[in-house]
Amino acid sequence: MKLPRRKFLAGSAALTAGAALGLQSSPAHAQVAFGDMTIDVVSDGFLTLPGSFIFDPMPQDELLPILKTYGQSAEVLTPPCNVTLLRQGDRTILFDVGSGPDFSANSGRLLDSLEALGVAPDDVTDIIFTHAHPDHLWGLLDDFDDPLFPAASYMIGKTEWEYWMDPNTIDTIGGGRTTFAIGAQRRLSMIKDQITLFGDGEEILPGIAARATVGHTPGHMALEVHSGSESVMILGDSIGNDHIAFAKPDWNSGSDQDPETAAKTRTTLMDQLSHEKTRVIGYHLSGNGIGYVDKMADGYAFVAEA
């Protein structure tokens, strides 16, 4: 029997990622339901990063004791990649699409995770990007450079689109991120006729509002999903980890393209989320990324939802 091309690609990606990670065929996920919405947080695997990628700009004498408290190595980071799937009526919505096979050996398993929920690429009706970094965007295309989600419409913040599609970005982004810009332009160009741009504060789909959370990238957006009195904030990378970003949100992080702006954004966002007791989903937060921001005497803490 000859498999359809997309089914073959989905199976190949799952086997490759599963072999690399020693994973079972049905990856764990978390689910949140409110109103007529069902939200699943599914795995795209994880990244392996040098600690210096985040920690280099930070005061080392203060940093190391905090990392020890959290049991976090200063040398190596292995953040999870948590992709959010929302189903409401006839809509199946993805927030970001993971990294695909070309960015990191231990990521790119989104198709496997969706298949475990009975969701095929053809079922996805809408894709909303928080930003255009590789681990959020590069899962957009299949091995033939065709859009992997052929029935989907696409949405991204206007500032984010303009930044990555500017030809000068490749020359100005900095040597360590040049491939980010090349990869983003190539992939976004493939969907330029199907993409809608949005701004801060817009309700971009029923029950989904955009929140500018800039600094990690120039046009980074978080998305607030609400139904009645209930809501959840999909953070993207506006809060990038569950240790130092919470303990010292005002510290500059090497992972942010504009560290000073990102620190201001993060601090303001933490204050709001902790005060309002808003449930959050973080792309790189531990576990399944679902939890709350708790205000502490010094800094904040991530409280994972059981």
Side-chain angles (χ1 to χ4, degrees), residues 9-203:
L9 289 170
S12 298
L15 288 172
T16 301
L21 290 171
L23 297 169
Q24 298 181 357
S25 59
S26 298
H29 72 282
Q31 188 173 91
V32 176
F34 54 89
D36 61 345
M37 300 178 180
T38 300
I39 295 175
D40 290 276
V41 183
V42 298
S43 177
D44 189 52
F46 65 92
L47 305 178
T48 303
L49 304 171
S52 58
F53 181 67
I54 288 178
F55 302 140
D56 261 7
M58 300 177 180
Q60 300 299 302
D61 57 335
E62 296 181 60
L63 169 69
L64 295 178
I66 296 171
L67 295 182
K68 184 176 180 180
T69 298
Y70 281 90
Q72 169 62 53
S73 166
E75 304 301 324
V76 180
L77 291 151
T78 55
C81 298
N82 303 308
V83 177
T84 302
L85 170 75
L86 186 154
R87 287 175 282 186
Q88 179 186 34
D90 59 358
R91 288 189 183 274
T92 299
I93 304 165
L94 278 177
F95 296 83
D96 297 327
V97 293
S99 64
D102 298 328
F103 181 60
S104 171
N106 296 322
S107 62
R109 57 177 289 225
L110 176 60
L111 292 179
D112 191 28
S113 297
L114 292 176
E115 185 177 22
L117 292 176
V119 176
D122 291 1
D123 296 331
V124 177
T125 59
D126 304 273
I127 293 171
I128 303 169
F129 295 108
T130 61
H131 64 299
H133 274 169
D135 52 325
H136 298 254
L137 174 69
W138 284 19
L140 179 67
L141 304 179
D142 66 20
D143 288 349
F144 298 87
D145 270 357
D146 293 328
L148 184 56
F149 304 94
S153 62
Y154 305 92
M155 307 184 79
I156 194 170
K158 184 175 184 291
T159 299
E160 189 75 355
W161 171 270
E162 291 175 345
Y163 173 75
W164 293 103
M165 294 303 288
D166 183 345
N168 293 320
T169 295
I170 291 174
D171 298 321
T172 59
I173 194 173
R177 289 184 166 96
T178 300
T179 56
F180 290 16
I182 295 170
Q185 286 186 16
R186 184 169 75 84
R187 287 163 177 83
L188 292 174
S189 293
M190 297 295 293
I191 57 171
K192 63 182 180 181
D193 295 329
Q194 300 144 275
I195 201 157
T196 299
L197 308 182
F198 59 84
D200 182 30
E202 291 185 29
E203 184 163 30

Side-chain angles (χ1 to χ4, degrees), residues 229-257:
S229 61
E230 295 186 273
S231 66
V232 59
M233 183 76 78
I234 299 168
L235 297 171
D237 285 359
S238 56
I239 302 175
N241 59 68
D242 54 27
H243 37 83
I244 202 68
F246 281 82
K248 297 292 183 180
D250 57 333
W251 282 4
N252 288 356
S253 170
S255 66
D256 297 323
Q257 290 185 219

